[in-house]
Amino acid sequence: MSMRGSGEGTGRSDEDGNGLRIEIEGRGRIAEVSASARRVPWLLNALQILWVAGPATFIAMQGGYWLGFGEFAPARNVVYFVFFTLFLGLIGLASKLASVAVIERREHEAAQKLRRTIDLLPDLLFAIRDTDLAAEPAERRRRLAAGVLLQELDLGPETLAMAVRELSGDVGLSQVAQQIEVYRRLGLHSRVRDLVDASAEARLAALERVHAEAPELADALRERLQGNAPSQDAGIPRREGFLQRLLATADEDDPADLPVSDVQELIVLAFELLSGREIRYLHFTWKGRWGVARALDAVETTRARYRLAQARVDGRLRALGLSMVGLPESQIQRADIRSDPLVLAPKVIDALERLIAHRPPRGTRAARRLGRILTGVRRLREEYHQWLEAGSALDAAMAHWEMLQRQIYPTGARWWRRRLSARRLQIQEGVIAFSDEAKLAFARGLCDLVDDLELQVDQRGLYFAGQPLDRAEIRRLGLQLLTLLQDSLDLTDLAVQRAIQASPAAWLGGLQADMSAEARAGLGAAVVKEVRQDLGRMAERLAAQLVTLYHLPLDAQLRQQLVERYGANAERLEMLASRSAEGEVSYPVRRVRSSEREAMMRDPRWTLLLKLGERYAG
């Protein structure tokens, strides 16, 4: 679906009309999410107060006095109650007006940040994709760009031919692809089959070349050459294991092995959730003697939470260092921000000492900047304490797991597996979605992150403190986005990971660089509703986790339930069941706590400098 077409006449008017409707819908979505209270009709309230203080008070006063004492109330009593009601009403009205002012200001700020976030995420996606593409050699860049085209929903025959030619290098095959697309659009599927059969040899040769040079693009090319185009309801398959790789590299300072495309997948997921995407998923609960399985689950979950807490500390430390770049007293350079946290932390502390020693006069711009820096120090300390709590939880989970291992393995793993029959599982359904509060919290966090890092996105690309980002900085940015998502969505839950991975991403190809935030919000809300839910794939992933992680047998009763109720593939479940019967159970669990990186934040100078700075700021 294209928001802005190049056609003339009626076609152009239709597209403009569709774009206008989508923009109006998007504006309504932003207002709906950001509205936390209705506007109070203060004028009506004022009239009500005057009515209560005047005729209503007089009538009620006289009636009550006459019924109680048999005579009408004296004038002074009436005057007293009139002014009492009037003053009380005015106080109430003033309080209500102050409340309305605060609520409307917060609603306006929330709407602005939500609008900015919806506008920013696609720009980040475009800029990161282009930066990743620009870092590739020219030949591979040509193929990857063609692969991006193949994923487009509304791809014309000429453009498809160009993408096939760029990817395969076969001019004849590109012409066949163009013919296939023309006939596919007209519904002449018999003619499509003729062309597919006639080009079988050339297609196989091209796929073999592409699979050797760019295997991630082979499936998309195969589908196009067989006359199959992407659809909105089918969505776009997510990169296999992208969440697991992000979580696994959260405890690494230089995640060089993390593909930048995983960061792109994370941005797409965030935009979907902000647009109202709901993902149904399956999870299981333990029944009976499942202490060992619970313990292993706890280790996996606490380890992921520790990694995310550590990534949050690293990101906050870099943001703190960045806030001091350019201050002569700090002596922090942009190159220092990329260094190891163990190297960066002492430099930040020394810079803080120099800044506090050269206290600028209060009320000046330098003093306000120092105040923001001290706020960053306070947030860093808070993140550090949460990191330590996550480390303590990981230690406790590891200790409990190791104790159970010592108890179980002398009696044999096969005995344990027999006791933990899969019949003791209870499969339940859930929904992954952002509440309105979660959307606003994520928007606030992303806007604060962009401002702290001084990120700028324009036609030149993505810039960090005035200089273009490289791949390493994009990876670190992705980890910080991961921690923001974690605040609203428990990504450490294996069931949530499995559900996100199994659900296809919404098709966002209609997003364009020149769209307004309202148009992007409307398009996002429209496309996320079109994606078809496939619980069958999720059921198969759940079964795979039972076999590979917990080494449980998939008995016939459980397999039948997954097939009949959720539509899982019976043959795949049979293969998993045969694998679960092979071999012994072993659970290699490694520690990930970093004592050196935890110790860098125990430096007492952090607390001392924060106290001195707050005393100065106060």
Side-chain angles (χ1 to χ4, degrees), residues 589-607:
V589 178
R590 64 182 182 90
R591 294 184 178 273
V592 296
R593 292 198 67 173
S594 173
S595 56
E596 291 182 349
R597 295 173 76 173
E598 290 180 6
M600 76 180 182
M601 293 303 303
R602 293 196 184 99
D603 192 321
R605 289 186 295 170
W606 286 111
T607 304

Side-chain angles (χ1 to χ4, degrees), residues 107-369:
E107 180 180 343
H108 178 71
E109 291 177 354
Q112 288 296 105
K113 289 190 174 182
L114 184 61
R115 183 180 294 107
R116 182 184 175 193
T117 300
I118 291 175
D119 200 30
L120 182 63
L121 284 175
D123 287 340
L124 280 176
L125 180 63
F126 298 152
I128 289 175
R129 183 172 63 187
D130 189 57
T131 301
D132 188 35
L133 196 65
E136 296 287 350
E139 186 65 20
R140 179 167 171 79
R141 183 161 63 243
R142 178 173 62 83
R143 294 193 181 94
L144 292 176
V148 172
L149 291 179
L150 291 181
Q151 292 182 346
E152 286 296 311
L153 208 66
D154 190 14
L155 194 64
E158 295 83 4
T159 308
L160 176 60
M162 181 190 72
V164 172
R165 184 173 63 252
E166 292 281 288
L167 192 56
S168 67
D170 190 330
V171 177
L173 190 61
S174 67
Q175 294 175 348
V176 173
Q178 181 176 352
Q179 293 174 316
I180 288 175
E181 181 65 13
V182 170
Y183 289 125
R184 184 194 69 81
R185 289 179 173 231
L186 295 175
L188 300 176
H189 300 295
S190 58
R191 182 57 181 149
V192 169
R193 287 192 294 271
D194 291 341
L195 292 170
V196 170
D197 293 339
S199 61
E201 185 176 347
R203 181 177 68 252
L204 293 176
L207 288 174
E208 186 175 350
R209 290 194 302 271
V210 171
H211 196 276
E213 298 166 351
E216 67 274 21
L217 305 178
D219 289 340
L221 179 61
R222 178 185 298 107
E223 291 297 313
R224 286 290 190 173
L225 293 178
Q226 291 179 345
N228 301 320
S231 62
Q232 283 192 0
D233 58 346
I236 305 295
R238 303 187 195 273
R239 283 179 60 85
E240 189 66 33
F242 81 98
L243 267 181
Q244 289 79 1
R245 285 191 295 272
L246 283 163
L247 290 168
T249 55
D251 59 339
E252 300 177 14
D253 174 61
D254 186 17
D257 295 332
L258 179 67
V260 174
S261 51
D262 287 351
V263 179
Q264 298 175 38
E265 289 284 354
L266 191 68
I267 294 175
V268 170
L269 174 62
F271 186 82
E272 288 180 277
L273 293 171
L274 281 178
S275 300
R277 178 76 188 272
E278 295 183 353
I279 301 174
R280 293 173 58 202
Y281 71 102
L282 305 177
H283 62 99
F284 48 81
T285 56
W286 315 114
K287 295 173 62 179
R289 298 175 60 86
W290 283 84
V292 180
R294 287 196 191 96
L296 183 58
D297 232 10
V299 170
E300 295 295 326
T301 300
T302 53
R303 176 196 290 152
R305 289 175 180 169
Y306 176 81
R307 285 168 166 165
L308 286 174
Q310 179 172 293
R312 197 187 299 269
V313 170
D314 290 349
R316 186 69 68 183
L317 178 64
R318 296 185 192 282
L320 180 60
L322 180 62
S323 65
M324 292 185 282
V325 171
L327 293 175
E329 298 84 2
S330 72
Q331 300 179 13
I332 294 285
Q333 304 297 322
R334 186 175 186 265
D336 296 329
I337 308 303
R338 306 182 184 184
S339 59
D340 187 281
L342 295 174
V343 177
L344 178 60
K347 292 182 179 180
V348 170
I349 292 178
D350 294 341
L352 280 171
E353 288 181 334
R354 289 190 290 270
L355 288 174
I356 294 178
H358 295 79
R359 298 176 182 177
R362 295 184 180 180
T364 62
R365 183 178 180 181
R368 290 192 294 271
R369 187 169 182 179

